[in-house]
Amino acid sequence: MSKKFGTSLEFAKRYVSEKTLQQLLNYLSKDPVNNLDRIFTLGKILARREEHKQAILTVERNLNNYPAIRQLVESLLRDTHPNVRQRLLFNFFINSIIFGIPKQLQLSETLGFKVPHTILVDPTSNCNLRCEGCWAGAYAKHDELEYERLDRLFNEAKELGIYWIVMSGGEPFMYPYLFDLAAKHNDMAFMIYTNGTRIDEKTADKIIEVGNISPAFSLEGWEERTDRRRGTGVFKKVINAMEMLRERGAVFGISLTATRENVEEIMSDEFIDYMIDKGAKYGWIFHYIPIGRNPNTDLMLTPEQRAYLAKVVPNIRRNKPIFLADFWNDGEFTQGCIAGGKYYFHITASGAVEPCAFVHISTHNINECSLKDVLNSPLFKAYQKRQPFNNNHLRPCPIIDVPSALREIVTETGAKPTHPGADDILKGEVSEYLDRLSEAWAEVAAEIKER
């Protein structure tokens, strides 16, 4: 093929993509529910990889087979403010997935290191609450990443095809430049883990104005349990924030930490239906990990409770209009652990780069190196060469499923804890408990896989 022909072909592809994108935006802005079939057709045209086309086909089939999934998709299109449809949803599904992932895969081959799908970053460690057992509760309380460094990080990310940024903390809505960054990087999608207490009418208006921010509210269950851990009145403030955002047409979700005490409560029909009624479109389920403020192994799920989650979460996904993901039991979809730069990694408010939000060890600091340096680090390579940590993807995690692997990684790379007590999961009583729990879960997970 001649160089001239190749250039013309690329121009033609770009021309078709631009025209298709413009038509997609037209459908999103004008009667998107009745244009749903056309939106899926355009999505398949834009999809650059066969697995993306197959994923779109799978969603189409699910829309026809499961009324709750159709209800969720239609509500996202019908009830979402135009700013949010054309920024958050477009940036996530088109920039991040359709265009971003192929670029990430291509650069992973040419650069010689894995480019992840997203980055979890804490802009600040400041928080107005002191929740018992908080996974981030042992970090220093005065750290904050400079606006300029985050601005540069997001530009570095987009150069690698990363258009999805997740934020935690601390409380991200206490970071003074949050909306400035979201507005400047209006081609990216931002999901914000939040305690919800900082979202008032003014903040809710800003979320709609920038359009590319989706809060994920942290809850422990109903009011009594949430307030017991987070403080009196927190549950009502979260519900009030949800109602303000629902009325304005924001897209938001929930973040649930499953413990030995609350797992049946947060998975009950009554609780999930209440969250749907308040407007939540998605939910992330985290298994309690003994890290952070006052870690307590007695709160960890039993193997029987984890098996319960593995059964109930897929059932909710099929039959209720909310998308739930269980980061530990959904390993089949991600082919094991997602951390260590494989699909994501974590940057603390001090700049320390960690493989995972729950693995508080580090060899690099983002204030002292580039994003490419981080992704090419020995720590991430040590992680990735062991992934998957187990061939049974119900055992994806090097913390609670294959703890010997995490100890090997630390020994191999010399990674250091990012706060006092962060290495307790690697030694002593906590480490011994994790070994016993992982062995017990291995037996149950094997039985589940054989069914």
Side-chain angles (χ1 to χ4, degrees), residues 288-299:
Y288 175 79
I289 302 296
I291 193 74
R293 180 181 295 123
N294 301 327
N296 182 1
T297 55
D298 290 339
L299 290 176

Side-chain angles (χ1 to χ4, degrees), residues 261-290:
E261 298 175 347
N262 77 345
V263 61
E264 293 186 5
E265 180 173 319
I266 61 175
M267 290 293 100
S268 67
D269 286 338
E270 293 79 9
F271 183 76
I272 295 298
D273 289 344
Y274 186 72
M275 292 295 104
I276 294 169
D277 180 65
K278 293 303 173 185
K281 304 300 184 187
Y282 62 87
W284 307 122
I285 302 168
F286 295 91
H287 298 197
Y288 175 79
I289 302 296

Side-chain angles (χ1 to χ4, degrees), residues 100-132:
I101 290 178
K103 185 174 183 179
Q104 295 159 17
L105 293 172
Q106 178 186 1
L107 289 174
S108 294
E109 294 178 1
T110 59
L111 294 174
F113 55 78
K114 186 75 173 66
V115 178
H117 297 340
T118 186
I119 301 170
L120 170 65
V121 59
D122 305 342
T124 179
S125 61
N126 291 329
C127 187
N128 58 321
L129 302 182
R130 286 187 61 82
C131 304
E132 181 64 24

